[in-house]
């Protein structure tokens, strides 16, 4: 104890003192919480209640439930009703207190969900114990996170997500430029999730599933050099391991929530993946489509490595020429430069032809000079950072292997938090 320590040594153990007081306050708080929660006669609603047509639930007495809270475990007294027709029993008070089907209070579930979505379940267990003086097991945190993640998924998808929604009326809020960005990243999964899926390693068996992530953000201006500036705090995210068609619906719904109908310009930014441009054509028809400049540079960069190999001087000269051409949006000149160094035969020629096809197919998405004159973004740094932060930092840690359902639950929670919608989600969930 801090006071006794000071009497003996003349030095107070401040940490022990504050921890002791915190434990005491938790004890007092749990007693007070128990009294307040049980001050309503257990939620008694009369001898019978009608919960649904044709079913009469009769009062059978009172039952107690041990509930773990942020202040400790308390006993909750609840009126119990039973229907002999459906053979089901209910406690109306459980719904009122938001403890149906769980022994954790809403406040504790909130802490568990936030911690479990932010770090591994084992680390979350340690963090909650250290910072909140609450002991919960990693498996319990995992189960709570998956339940909350499914609720967050419902929250994010509560709007109609069909592809043919009529455009809402213009709200009158001016948005000069709204951006839709998409990318995919592999998430390690358990074996049952990759059965009959081809992989890229020597075994030929896939070990990951692609998580698709979408980002919507706005832009109102440029900096002193004329480079686009993203509006601070304007980024919102959606994502899941799912087919492109379902993801397109998801992203379209988010764009509508972000008032795409009020945007003067809509831009779709992505790499060269066909599924991205299929979504752009279907859901964002008429939007300006832009291939990420840095991704495009990688394509002629790979050619340079293949053709020039160890001739660094010639490689640098060739690369600098292609960079000037591509940055200006002169894609035809880039193609001409590739053809000038392309071998007459062999696998290197086939590689060059493949890359030429890439540039020719996407040339209308690579008019970077024109895009910059309009003050638009030409890079996908926002979505790439999102893939690292929203997906990678949590789901791609060493030794992790997910089920698709489990991964999607965590992705839903992390998208909710990254989009600054955690409070909205929690309020909506509590009011449901």
């Amino acid at each position: 104890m801090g006071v006794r320590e000071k009497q003996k040594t003349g030095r107070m153990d401040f940490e022990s003192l504050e921890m002791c007081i915190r434990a005491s306050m938790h004890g007092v708080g749990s007693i007070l919480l128990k009294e307040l929660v049980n001050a309503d006669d257990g939620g008694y609603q009369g001898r019978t209640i009608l919960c649904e047509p044709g079913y009469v639930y009769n009062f059978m007495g009172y039952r107690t439930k041990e509930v773990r809270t942020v202040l400790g475990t308390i006993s909750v007294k609840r009126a119990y009703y039973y229907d002999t027709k459906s053979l089901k029993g209910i406690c109306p008070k459980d719904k009122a207190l938001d403890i149906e089907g769980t022994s954790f209070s809403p406040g504790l579930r909130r802490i568990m969900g936030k911690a479990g979505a932010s770090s591994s379940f084992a680390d979350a267990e340690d963090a909650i114990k250290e910072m909140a003086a609450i002991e919960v097991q990693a498996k319990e945190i995992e189960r709570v996170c998956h339940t909350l993640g499914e609720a967050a998924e419902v929250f994010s998808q509560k709007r109609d997500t069909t592809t043919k929604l009529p455009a809402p009326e213009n709200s009158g809020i001016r948005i000069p430029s709204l951006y839709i960005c998409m990318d995919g990243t592999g998430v390690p999964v358990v074996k049952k999730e990759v059965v009959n899926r081809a992989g890229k390693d020597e075994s030929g068996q896939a070990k990951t599933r692609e998580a698709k992530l979408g980002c919507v953000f706005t832009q109102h201006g440029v900096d002193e050099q004329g480079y686009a500036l993203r509006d601070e705090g304007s980024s919102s995210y959606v994502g899941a391991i799912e087919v492109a068609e379902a993801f397109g619906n998801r992203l379209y719904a988010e764009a509508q929530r972000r008032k795409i109908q009020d945007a003067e310009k809509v831009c779709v930014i992505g790499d060269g993946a066909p599924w991205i441009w299929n979504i752009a054509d279907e859901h964002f028809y008429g939007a300006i489509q832009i291939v990420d400049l840095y991704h495009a540079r990688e394509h002629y960069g790979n050619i340079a490595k293949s053709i020039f190999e160890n001739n660094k001087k010639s490689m640098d000269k060739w690369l600098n020429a292609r960079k000037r051409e591509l940055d200006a949006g002169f894609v035809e000149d880039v193609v001409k430069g590739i053809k000038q160094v392309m071998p007459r035969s062999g696998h290197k020629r086939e590689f060059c032809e493949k890359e030429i096809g890439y540039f020719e197919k996407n040339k209308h998405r690579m008019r970077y000079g024109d895009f910059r004159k309009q003050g638009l973004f030409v890079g996908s740094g926002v979505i790439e950072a999102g893939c690292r932060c929203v997906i990678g930092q949590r789901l791609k840690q060493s030794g992790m292997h997910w089920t698709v359902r489990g991964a999607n639950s965590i992705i839903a929670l992390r998208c909710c938090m990254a989009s600054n919608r955690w409070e909205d989600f929690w309020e909506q969930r509590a009011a449901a």
Side-chain angles (χ1 to χ4, degrees):
M1 181 66 184
V3 176
R4 293 176 182 173
E5 180 72 15
K6 183 176 181 181
Q7 291 175 343
K8 293 181 179 180
T9 65
R11 181 181 64 84
M12 179 177 289
D13 187 340
F14 195 2
E15 180 184 356
S16 295
L17 183 61
E18 60 183 331
M19 292 302 180
C20 181
I21 292 176
R22 181 176 72 171
S24 299
M25 294 303 295
H26 275 194
V28 173
S30 65
I31 294 173
L32 177 60
L33 181 62
K34 178 182 177 181
E35 293 298 318
L36 291 172
V37 167
N38 291 314
D40 63 347
D41 195 24
Y44 178 73
Q45 298 182 9
R47 296 304 305 175
T48 61
I49 57 175
L50 294 172
C51 290
E52 49 190 304
Y55 295 94
V56 178
Y57 288 77
N58 298 293
F59 176 65
M60 304 297 292
Y62 291 94
R63 295 188 177 184
T64 60
K65 181 176 185 176
E66 298 297 304
V67 179
R68 297 161 72 180
T69 77
V70 296
L71 297 171
T73 302
I74 65 172
S75 295
V76 179
K77 179 183 177 182
R78 308 120 70 228
Y80 177 71
Y81 292 82
Y82 184 79
D83 174 54
T84 56
K85 185 176 180 180
S86 65
L87 304 180
K88 293 181 180 179
I90 60 170
C91 293
K93 187 171 181 176
D94 284 1
K95 183 175 181 61
L97 294 180
D98 189 16
I99 55 172
E100 281 186 303
T102 180
S103 60
F104 298 105
S105 71
L108 183 51
R109 297 205 308 277
R110 176 177 176 140
I111 292 173
M112 294 166 73
K114 196 74 175 285
S118 301
S119 61
S120 71
F121 301 125
D123 289 344
E125 176 185 333
D126 293 339
I128 293 172
K129 182 178 180 180
E130 178 72 20
M131 292 185 283
I134 302 170
E135 293 194 18
V136 288
Q137 301 300 312
K139 272 295 180 183
E140 294 172 324
I141 298 173
E142 180 179 356
R143 286 192 289 270
V144 167
C145 282
H146 289 169
T147 300
L148 290 178
E150 290 172 352
E153 170 70 1
V154 173
F155 169 71
S156 68
Q157 294 290 299
K158 62 182 178 180
R159 293 172 61 92
D160 184 357
T161 58
T162 58
T163 59
K164 302 302 180 182
L165 285 176
E169 293 184 5
N170 191 290
S171 67
I173 302 173
R174 179 178 175 271
I175 302 176
S177 299
L178 182 139
Y179 292 83
I180 312 291
C181 301
M182 292 170 266
D183 202 358
T185 182
V187 172
V189 294
V190 297
K191 289 184 178 180
K192 70 176 183 179
E193 301 288 8
V194 289
V195 174
N196 298 325
R197 288 179 174 270
K200 298 180 180 179
D201 65 4
E202 296 179 357
S203 69
Q205 176 64 51
K207 293 180 173 60
T208 64
R209 292 285 297 272
E210 183 182 55
K212 295 177 175 64
L213 186 71
C215 176
V216 180
F217 67 90
T218 59
Q219 173 207 353
H220 277 72
V222 297
D223 63 15
E224 295 178 354
Q225 288 74 41
Y227 289 100
L229 286 175
R230 177 171 56 93
D231 294 335
E232 185 176 357
S234 71
S235 298
S236 61
Y237 298 88
V238 294
I241 300 175
E242 61 188 359
V243 297
E245 181 180 3
F247 179 73
N249 292 338
R250 178 189 299 274
L251 187 55
Y252 180 67
E254 178 62 14
Q256 281 207 313
R257 188 187 72 82
R258 296 296 307 277
K259 307 298 183 184
I260 189 174
Q261 72 277 1
D262 294 329
E264 296 175 5
K265 291 180 181 177
V266 177
C267 304
V268 177
I269 303 180
D271 58 24
W275 66 266
I276 291 177
W277 306 120
N278 289 338
I279 289 176
D281 289 338
E282 180 178 358
H283 296 282
F284 307 105
Y285 182 78
I288 300 171
Q289 297 183 4
I290 303 174
V291 167
D292 170 50
L293 172 60
Y294 306 99
H295 184 272
R297 286 176 181 172
E298 289 180 359
H299 282 261
Y300 68 67
N302 292 333
I303 291 175
K305 294 175 184 177
S306 175
I307 299 298
F308 296 101
E309 296 180 342
N310 297 323
N311 191 339
K312 189 176 185 304
K313 184 176 181 181
S314 296
M315 180 189 296
D316 289 344
K317 181 179 179 180
W318 189 86
L319 283 172
N320 288 332
R322 303 294 82 74
K323 182 178 182 298
R324 289 192 299 270
E325 294 162 355
L326 187 64
D327 287 3
F330 301 149
V331 184
E332 293 82 0
D333 291 341
V334 174
V335 171
K336 187 182 298 183
I338 296 173
K339 289 180 177 180
Q340 288 173 351
V341 298
M342 183 170 63
R344 293 185 177 182
S345 61
H347 68 276
K348 289 186 178 181
R349 179 180 179 85
E350 293 176 357
F351 178 63
C352 289
E353 289 175 341
K354 179 182 177 182
E355 296 294 7
I356 287 173
Y358 168 81
F359 282 105
E360 290 182 336
K361 182 179 180 180
N362 291 291
K363 60 185 178 182
H364 62 290
R365 303 182 179 113
M366 297 179 177
R367 302 304 184 189
Y368 301 115
D370 293 338
F371 299 150
R372 279 180 164 151
K373 286 179 182 178
Q374 297 178 59
L376 301 176
F377 281 93
V378 295
S380 60
V382 175
I383 191 64
E384 290 179 6
C387 283
R388 291 193 299 270
C389 298
V390 178
I391 307 294
Q393 287 182 2
R394 178 63 183 90
L395 283 86
K396 299 173 73 170
Q397 296 181 34
S398 177
M400 287 187 173
H401 293 87
W402 299 85
T403 63
V404 169
R405 180 186 176 191
N408 280 343
S409 294
I410 297 300
I411 292 172
L413 286 177
R414 289 183 67 82
C415 283
C416 187
M417 292 190 293
S419 303
N420 296 314
R421 302 193 71 199
W422 176 260
E423 291 298 331
D424 293 338
F425 159 63
W426 202 260
E427 289 180 9
Q428 181 272 341
R429 185 208 58 81

